[in-house]
Amino acid sequence: MSMSRIETPSERAYSRVALVSLTLAVVGVGLAIWGFVSGIDATLNGAGAISTSIVIFYVGSAVLFVALVLAIIGLVRSESKMVPTVALAVCLIPIAAIIVIALADRR
């Protein structure tokens, strides 16, 4: 009597949702910061229309929102919590930057 073994696929250290979330978070932070800084630069230099900077900032914010939702989904679904937690932290960088800027302005 021989017993057959069922092989299970090896567990990954991350889920695809978490990896997509981390990638979107990095891209979203880059777009949001780039739009913010170029908007401030265009305003201070009087370069004219800053509509492109505003659009870039809003696109970055939308990408960050999607990454935040995906990070939460990855955190709930995945057995490994490291990559979704890092993605969540990266998504929250712009919020922390806004709080730091607001507190620095009060001084």
Side-chain angles (χ1 to χ4, degrees):
M1 183 182 244
S2 66
M3 298 184 90
S4 62
R5 265 172 58 187
I6 299 173
E7 294 194 24
T8 59
S10 63
E11 292 292 321
R12 290 188 307 238
Y14 56 87
S15 67
R16 287 188 186 130
V17 173
L19 190 60
V20 168
S21 171
L22 183 60
T23 304
L24 287 176
V26 169
V27 169
V29 166
L31 284 174
I33 290 174
W34 181 33
F36 182 77
V37 170
S38 66
I40 295 293
D41 184 46
T43 301
L44 292 178
N45 288 336
I50 60 166
S51 60
T52 306
S53 301
I54 292 173
V55 170
I56 291 171
F57 178 77
Y58 283 139
V59 167
S61 299
V63 170
L64 274 173
F65 180 74
V66 170
L68 183 68
V69 170
L70 287 177
I72 293 171
I73 290 171
L75 198 58
V76 171
R77 283 189 186 172
S78 179
E79 288 184 16
S80 66
K81 305 292 184 197
M82 187 61 159
V83 175
T85 304
V86 170
L88 194 61
V90 171
C91 288
L92 297 176
I93 286 174
I95 295 172
I98 290 171
I99 291 171
V100 167
I101 290 170
L103 291 175
D105 189 40
R106 289 182 134 186
R107 194 168 66 120

